[in-house]
Amino acid sequence: MATGDKDHHKADWVSIHKQTCQPLIPTRTSLPCPTTERERKRGTEQLLRRQKYIIDAAFSTAQGLVWAGKHEEARPAALHALRFGIEVYGSDSLQLVPAYLLLAEACTGAGHLPEASQYLSQAEWIILRTPACSAALQHKLHRSLGLFCAAKGDFEKALYHLANDVYLASSTFGRTSIEASGGYFHMADVFFHQNKVDIANSLYTEVTSAWHSFLLKSLQAQQQVPKSRPETSVFTEDREVSEEPLTTEHHGIVRTDNLMCSSREYSWERSWGASHWNRKLKPSK
């Protein structure tokens, strides 16, 4: 096995195999033929639950690795989520868009821009051919396109997509929502790089205000909620697997330090990888 293959296998194992190995086995092995319709239906439902669990685990793992700046390690996990998503939902389903966008972000951070462009094109094609696609999903596409353009150095096009991101997120969740704040945050980065510091600082202030409000409400709600019951095993038959995609509310706290940091200290290297940004963001001269 070549060194590159060994490194890829190690990254693959670290990112996802540890979590999905056990539930993966029944989905890839032949089981005894069911003798009754009830057993067949029960087996199909169990298989679907396991597949959805793997999708959620792989997506969550990849998302966390991307946010930690480990883009290369995130790629196998994101691919895992996409492959099982295609098996469960079909190749043209809107359910695949988050996985395509996550793959694009991981590839961009790892320096694989042509591959990232392909994943973005696939996500955009699925959305364009689905007239009923929600604004909540469209804003994620525009954010990914904006960040991709920023990574290439096309800042004007990046601002165009990020402005659409903010508009769609604001119309769906509210202007001061944390969903919209992400778009403001990335727009501020672009303006700061263009030496438009006043505009950047104004947008950073919007982000800080939105997160302060969100975290305060979350803390107040947490103090009122009793301790939740222990988690149920994925192999328990009556466990229901959530079909809701992972959202900023669920994982956004991971990026609080990024959102609260000083604009002059923020590093593109942390978001997109050292292969494209090897210094801290500074105003252009």
Side-chain angles (χ1 to χ4, degrees):
M1 182 183 292
T3 302
D5 292 336
K6 290 181 179 179
D7 292 341
H8 179 77
H9 179 75
K10 181 179 179 181
D12 197 351
W13 175 261
V14 169
S15 67
I16 190 58
H17 279 180
K18 285 183 180 179
Q19 295 190 41
T20 63
C21 187
Q22 186 177 359
L24 184 63
I25 294 174
T27 68
R28 291 292 182 261
T29 56
S30 299
L31 299 176
C33 183
T35 58
T36 65
E37 178 64 20
R38 182 178 179 181
E39 288 182 355
R40 187 196 65 78
K41 183 178 179 180
R42 180 181 175 186
T44 301
E45 291 173 349
Q46 287 180 336
L47 176 62
L48 184 61
R49 283 200 298 270
R50 287 188 172 95
Q51 288 175 321
K52 289 184 176 181
Y53 168 78
I54 291 171
I55 293 170
D56 289 344
F59 189 94
S60 179
T61 299
Q63 184 83 87
L65 289 168
V66 165
W67 286 351
K70 300 177 180 179
H71 299 90
E72 194 65 54
E73 290 182 19
R75 292 174 64 209
L79 276 171
H80 226 53
L82 177 62
R83 288 167 181 166
F84 273 89
I86 291 173
E87 288 187 19
V88 173
Y89 302 113
S91 60
D92 299 333
S93 173
L94 281 173
Q95 298 277 2
L96 303 180
V97 171
Y100 277 121
L101 298 182
L102 184 58
L103 266 170
E105 187 172 358
C107 289
T108 301
H112 309 294
L113 294 184
E115 190 176 347
S117 179
Q118 292 177 5
Y119 290 129
L120 285 172
S121 296
Q122 188 67 26
E124 190 170 17
W125 179 79
I126 292 176
I127 287 178
L128 288 175
R129 68 185 298 274
T130 311
C133 178
S134 67
L137 193 56
Q138 292 181 52
H139 98 81
K140 293 179 181 179
L141 171 65
H142 280 287
R143 180 169 303 175
S144 294
L145 289 169
L147 293 176
F148 176 72
C149 291
K152 292 196 303 179
D154 189 348
F155 296 116
E156 293 304 320
K157 197 168 183 180
L159 287 173
Y160 167 79
H161 285 297
L162 291 172
N164 277 287
D165 162 28
V166 169
Y167 171 76
L168 291 166
S170 297
S171 65
T172 304
F173 304 103
R175 188 183 66 82
T176 60
S177 63
I178 57 171
E179 289 83 1
S181 75
Y184 287 126
F185 181 60
H186 294 300
M187 287 183 72
D189 283 338
V190 174
F191 280 122
F192 192 82
H193 188 73
Q194 294 178 322
N195 203 27
K196 298 177 181 178
V197 180
D198 289 342
I199 299 176
N201 286 339
S202 176
L203 291 171
Y204 283 128
T205 300
E206 288 281 345
V207 174
T208 303
S209 176
W211 271 87
H212 176 269
S213 177
F214 169 75
L215 292 173
L216 184 61
K217 290 179 181 178
S218 297
L219 179 61
Q220 293 172 343
Q222 186 67 27
Q223 292 173 340
Q224 297 175 4
V225 175
K227 292 184 179 180
S228 56
R229 63 180 181 179
E231 293 185 3
T232 306
S233 169
V234 65
F235 302 108
T236 301
E237 291 185 16
D238 60 354
R239 179 185 183 273
E240 294 187 4
V241 180
S242 173
E243 297 186 20
E244 293 297 321
L246 299 172
T247 64
T248 304
E249 291 92 339
H250 299 146
H251 297 289
I253 193 67
V254 179
R255 273 188 167 175
T256 302
D257 58 333
N258 282 355
L259 295 171
M260 299 303 174
C261 70
S262 165
S263 61
R264 291 167 179 77
E265 293 295 326
Y266 184 74
S267 170
W268 276 102
E269 180 180 61
R270 179 166 180 168
S271 292
W272 292 110
S275 59
H276 293 284
W277 304 91
N278 57 10
R279 63 180 177 82
K280 290 201 171 183
L281 191 64
K282 296 179 181 178
S284 57
K285 296 181 180 179

